Amino acid sequence: MLDETTTPLTPREDIAPAPADSPAPSPSPRTTVWLTRLLVVGLVLAAVNLRPAITSLGALLEDVRAGLHMSGSVAGVLTSVPALCFAVFGVTAPRLARRFGPGAVVCAGMVAITAGLLIRPFTNGTAAFLAASALALMGIAVSNVLMPVIVKRYFPDRVGTMTGLYSMSLSAGTAVAAAATVPMTAALGGSWRLGLGLWAVVAAVAVLPWAALLVRDRRSAATTAGGEEERKQAPAPAPALRIARSRTAWALGTFFGLQATGAYITMGWMPQIFRDAGVPAGTAGLLLAVTMVMGVPLAFVIPRLATRMRNQGPIVIALGACGLTGYAGLFLAPAAGAWLWAVLLGISNCAFPLALTMIGMRARTGPGVVRLSAFAQSTGYLISIPGPLLVGVLYQHSGGWELPITLMAGLMVPQIVLGVVAGRDRTIEDEA
């Protein structure tokens, strides 16, 4: 899949330039192949671990509530915590990346995920459970932001391929955690603590390649003459870059938020919509699984297609059309065409990998990608917080799904418009 002989292993010059009088030695072909494979494995394993902390808990939420004597209101807050943590902690990623390097921060993020998932099952109170969850979510938040940065830094000529690879891995991790947590828990005797704790083992595996890369970078810096001085002398991000002045950044951040809103609403409420329409509970769960599984192959295809286009607007429109058709089907005939609506909404939810790809394309430099990724994802996740709650309120007060589905379809319109704006062939450096 990858041409290992041409993939750059050292950061691009616009990301980590070195003084002209002390060039870094070129790695040998064998070292190049080894590092390329290690980076690919690291990206895949990190992506796999960016959602199981959330979806595994959702599968066992009732058991956790009973075990910790958690009230319904607290459980409701718990379901909103991920988006809030992604927004709050994601803002810190650029500063941490400038201070320690993106690879080191991703490594620390994997350690935080492991620690949070390991501690969480052994807590005996709601406050401690929330704190352990927040620790894992903090690691996810900074890794979310820095995944596009890692791709841009080490694979500048393969942004679409690598974004597709880790987006597909993220989707697969999400689906597997949602589907396998309950059966694994049953196989372990029904203990929700063991069922949740098993995912700490998966997260621990993801630490290994990033730790190896970190050790390699430290040794390389120590043995390269003037290596430390090169890092100190590397020019800081241009102070003239003010991300909030970029229309493209705002369009991309809002597009990210609206697509996240639609995804969270779909994952949280679609089974209930089908059940209220007369679809059996087991079938409703399978329909949600179909929607989620659609993201696995398309998350690899769409980024590759997007990088071959100067303007990603047509993809945005196509995904939006699928979403509008799916919502129209849910409104008019939810049970009769249930499988078709599930497929169409699954396709529409693939706006997520498209948004990640555009983050890497709408900035020319490494510092620009860091800032844009943090801005777009933090802004987007903040926007996404009230959506699922608002749908629940409308459903409760109206007694049906007509108003909530109308809201979902209505949100798709600005998502398409802003996605078209964000997909224009320009960079934030030109605007900010």
Side-chain angles (χ1 to χ4, degrees):
M1 182 180 63
L2 296 173
D3 184 358
E4 295 164 338
T5 62
T6 61
T7 302
L9 295 168
T10 55
R12 287 175 49 185
E13 292 182 358
D14 61 357
I15 298 174
D21 57 349
S22 58
S26 300
S28 65
R30 181 175 296 180
T31 302
T32 298
V33 172
W34 179 81
L35 287 177
T36 299
R37 291 174 176 171
L38 191 61
L39 280 164
V40 172
V41 170
L43 279 171
V44 169
L45 290 178
V48 166
N49 283 280
L50 292 182
R51 292 299 180 270
I54 303 168
T55 51
S56 63
L57 176 59
L60 297 174
L61 186 57
E62 286 301 318
D63 300 282
V64 174
R65 283 183 59 189
L68 297 178
H69 308 290
M70 188 183 297
S71 67
S73 59
V74 173
V77 170
L78 188 61
T79 60
S80 300
V81 164
L84 181 61
C85 287
F86 292 166
V88 172
F89 294 124
V91 175
T92 66
R95 181 174 297 181
L96 293 173
R98 289 195 299 269
R99 175 67 178 85
F100 302 104
V105 177
V106 171
C107 182
M110 295 299 108
V111 172
I113 295 170
T114 303
L117 294 181
L118 186 62
I119 296 169
R120 186 167 69 174
F122 300 102
T123 57
N124 293 316
T126 299
F129 189 90
L130 286 172
S133 296
L135 176 61
L137 292 169
M138 178 177 65
I140 294 172
V142 295
S143 300
N144 273 337
V145 171
L146 294 179
M147 286 291 100
V149 179
I150 295 291
V151 169
K152 184 82 168 183
R153 179 178 180 131
Y154 291 102
F155 303 95
D157 300 323
R158 301 182 181 276
V159 171
T161 298
M162 297 309 299
T163 301
L165 181 63
Y166 85 74
S167 298
M168 182 177 67
S169 302
L170 191 154
S171 298
T174 303
V176 169
T181 297
V182 172
M184 288 194 309
T185 302
L188 294 170
S191 170
W192 64 264
R193 297 182 185 273
L194 289 177
L196 290 182
L198 275 178
W199 294 104
V201 178
V202 181
V205 174
V207 175
L208 300 179
W210 293 102
L213 287 167
L214 186 58
V215 170
R216 184 260 175 191
D217 288 344
R218 299 301 185 202
R219 288 178 176 175
S220 177
T223 57
T224 300
E228 185 66 26
E229 289 302 315
E230 288 179 14
R231 286 195 300 275
K232 290 180 179 179
Q233 294 173 14
L241 182 61
R242 297 291 184 266
I243 194 76
R245 297 179 182 177
S246 169
R247 293 181 180 179
T248 297
W250 279 107
L252 186 51
T254 310
F255 172 72
F256 192 99
L258 290 172
Q259 65 81 26
T261 299
Y264 287 147
I265 290 173
T266 300
M267 288 187 290
W269 291 108
M270 194 174 76
Q272 190 64 47
I273 295 174
F274 286 128
R275 291 186 66 178
D276 287 351
V279 176
T283 304
L286 288 176
L287 289 167
L288 178 59
V290 168
T291 299
M292 297 175 66
V293 167
M294 291 299 299
V296 177
L298 291 178
F300 184 72
V301 173
I302 289 176
R304 300 188 70 184
L305 177 62
T307 55
R308 296 176 182 177
M309 304 171 64
R310 295 180 62 87
N311 189 321
Q312 290 74 47
I315 303 178
V316 172
I317 295 172
L319 297 179
C322 289
L324 288 173
T325 306
Y327 288 135
L330 287 180
F331 189 95
L332 298 173
W339 295 100
L340 177 59
W341 316 143
V343 169
L344 289 173
L345 291 174
I347 296 172
S348 177
N349 284 347
C350 289
F352 174 69
L354 175 62
L356 293 179
T357 306
M358 288 197 290
I359 288 174
M361 298 179 68
R362 297 287 87 87
R364 287 197 305 267
T365 65
V369 175
V370 175
R371 292 189 180 188
L372 180 58
S373 183
F375 180 86
Q377 295 198 47
S378 296
T379 301
Y381 283 121
L382 279 176
I383 291 172
S384 71
I385 292 173
L389 301 176
L390 181 57
V391 166
V393 170
L394 290 175
Y395 173 60
Q396 180 178 352
H397 285 81
S398 68
W401 286 106
E402 290 79 8
L403 281 179
I405 292 175
T406 301
L407 172 66
M408 298 177 208
L411 292 176
M412 186 62 66
V413 176
Q415 177 180 321
I416 294 172
V417 173
L418 291 164
V420 170
V421 173
R424 294 177 301 176
D425 184 21
R426 60 187 61 192
T427 62
I428 59 169
E429 288 86 356
D430 298 329
E431 298 177 339

